[in-house]
Amino acid sequence: MIINKSEIAGLLDNLVKEYRVYAPVEKDGSIVFEAIEEGARAKLGTTSKKPAKEILFPQSEELFSYQVDSEGLRMEDKIDDTKSIAFGVRPCDAKSMMLLDNVFHNDLYEDVYYTTRRKNTIIVSVGCSEPESTCFCSSVNSGPFDTDGSDVMLTDLGEAYLAEAVTEQGKEFLLKLNLKEAGEEDKARAEEIKSRAQAGSEVDITGLKEKLDGMFDHPYWDKLHEKCLGCAACTYLCPTCHCFDIADEARDCNGCRVRNWDSCMFPLFTLHGSGHNPRTSGKERWRQRVMHKFNYFVERYNATACVGCGRCIKNCPVNMDIRQVLAEIKAQDTGSEVS
Ligand code: SF4
Ligand code: SF4
């Protein structure tokens, strides 16, 4: 199917009547995902500063509210089942949602706040024809046109997008839009664009998980963290990071329970009620960040918890670069070498 760019704003205006439509928009000088009322606000083809994960896992969300009165305790759940579309997601962000699925819905546990949004959200991605220099998606089992996690993939042909369904849900969605069929020429052009698209950089992570198996007590961690400010920008802006904290906000007999993003880069994250903190310095926190993404997550879910989006590289105020860290780890001597 073909969507002319001149028709995108009108198409989104129509979708807004039926769905909550999230799209990348400009806000305070940055690109972020927001629910839009007007299609003209959408800035397709841009990579948001904050990842699209917040559509399914908001930075701050009310889980339920409660009230105690003469009739007892009354509670109201805040599960959000609004039919939604995330329009203009980057493939790395769509892939990250598949990784988050493992965490929020597994054999032991289902987070209904997340899974309800997930079931009710159609993901329309825009492939990256010109990835940024900080992108390394191709090195972490993905790529600029990876369809994992997307229902529909759009390829930028210049004046128009080629829209291809990835899932049954995506197929039904496209059929509803009554779009023009794509010609053979359009399809061939899209294939050429896809084959030319290269992630801006590469990192060889072969054997990394096994290397990290033997590195928990390695002296490499002693120095790595020294320039880190502990600001947590790297984790807040990471599409796969999913740590959160729960807080009760109450006044008199009314209140609500709220879930907020948290970060393993903060000292308070692991501070026990007793005052003991098992991660006393940046050393333990940086080690945890790397180990979780490239060792523990691989062990649990057979995938790295990194989609190579480059956001942590672009936004670290002291220029810490995860690509360099991974290369350095691979070069460390652990006494049990892997190729
Ligand atoms: S670790 Fe960095 S590059 Fe990897 S997914 Fe997170 S923000 Fe993106
Ligand atoms: S963004 Fe940089 S300075 Fe901030 S916590 Fe992450 S590594 Fe440290």
Side-chain angles (χ1 to χ4, degrees), residues 228-234 265 286 316-318 320:
C228 171
L229 307 174
C231 68
C234 50
M265 300 306 273
W286 244 100
C316 175
V318 292
M320 294 197 77

Side-chain angles (χ1 to χ4, degrees), residues 1-4 7 160-162 177-183 186:
M1 308 277 186
I2 287 287
I3 313 177
N4 289 321
E7 292 164 2
Y161 289 105
L162 174 77
L177 300 183
N178 288 322
L179 298 169
K180 197 174 84 180
E181 282 295 337
D186 298 320

Side-chain angles (χ1 to χ4, degrees), residues 62-278:
E62 193 177 313
L63 303 177
F64 60 82
S65 61
Y66 54 88
Q67 190 173 15
V68 183
D69 56 24
S70 54
E71 290 169 27
L73 171 67
R74 277 180 289 146
M75 292 173 65
E76 190 190 345
D77 236 321
K78 301 287 181 177
I79 293 172
D80 181 1
D81 62 357
T82 313
K83 295 267 174 230
S84 303
I85 300 175
F87 204 100
V89 169
R90 284 305 198 193
C92 52
D93 274 1
K95 173 113 185 174
S96 78
M97 292 173 186
M98 286 189 77
L99 299 173
L100 295 177
D101 289 347
N102 291 303
V103 177
F104 288 109
H105 193 187
N106 52 49
D107 292 346
L108 298 172
Y109 177 78
E110 178 178 0
D111 183 306
V112 288
Y113 299 95
Y114 175 92
T115 56
T116 306
R117 284 199 189 90
R118 181 74 161 124
K119 276 181 216 142
N120 286 294
T121 305
I122 298 168
I123 310 292
V124 179
S125 298
V126 181
C128 299
S129 312
E130 290 174 11
E132 297 179 41
S133 63
T134 43
C135 298
F136 59 101
C137 52
S138 306
S139 304
V140 283
N141 198 26
S142 187
F145 283 86
D146 188 349
T147 54
D148 279 357
S150 302
D151 293 300
V152 173
M153 176 64 73
L154 303 183
T155 305
D156 189 342
L157 302 177
E159 296 296 304
Y161 289 105
L162 174 77
E164 294 172 288
V166 178
T167 62
E168 271 308 306
Q169 179 166 240
K171 199 169 164 184
E172 282 167 30
F173 172 69
L174 285 181
L175 282 176
K176 273 176 46 175
L177 300 183
N178 288 322
L179 298 169
K180 197 174 84 180
E181 282 295 337
E184 288 309 314
E185 214 174 286
D186 298 320
K187 291 181 192 167
R189 211 141 141 254
E191 284 315 309
E192 195 213 320
I193 289 167
K194 289 180 198 178
S195 65
R196 266 195 285 118
Q198 296 279 342
S201 47
E202 282 182 23
V203 189
D204 180 9
I205 62 162
T206 321
L208 183 69
K209 193 260 171 206
E210 293 74 15
K211 188 96 187 192
L212 286 167
D213 278 343
M215 278 190 65
F216 192 82
D217 293 317
H218 198 279
Y220 176 69
W221 310 113
D222 294 343
K223 289 229 167 282
L224 172 65
H225 66 100
E226 282 180 343
K227 70 175 182 176
C228 171
L229 307 174
C231 68
C234 50
T235 46
Y236 267 44
L237 299 178
C238 175
T240 68
C241 280
H242 50 267
C243 292
F244 59 80
D245 192 18
I246 301 272
D248 276 354
E249 293 178 358
R251 173 171 290 180
D252 301 328
C253 295
N254 302 319
C256 62
R257 184 159 294 176
V258 182
R259 163 157 73 184
N260 301 308
W261 288 355
D262 204 343
S263 169
C264 61
M265 300 306 273
F266 289 142
L268 283 183
F269 183 68
T270 43
L271 181 65
H272 295 186
S274 65
H276 170 66
N277 194 337

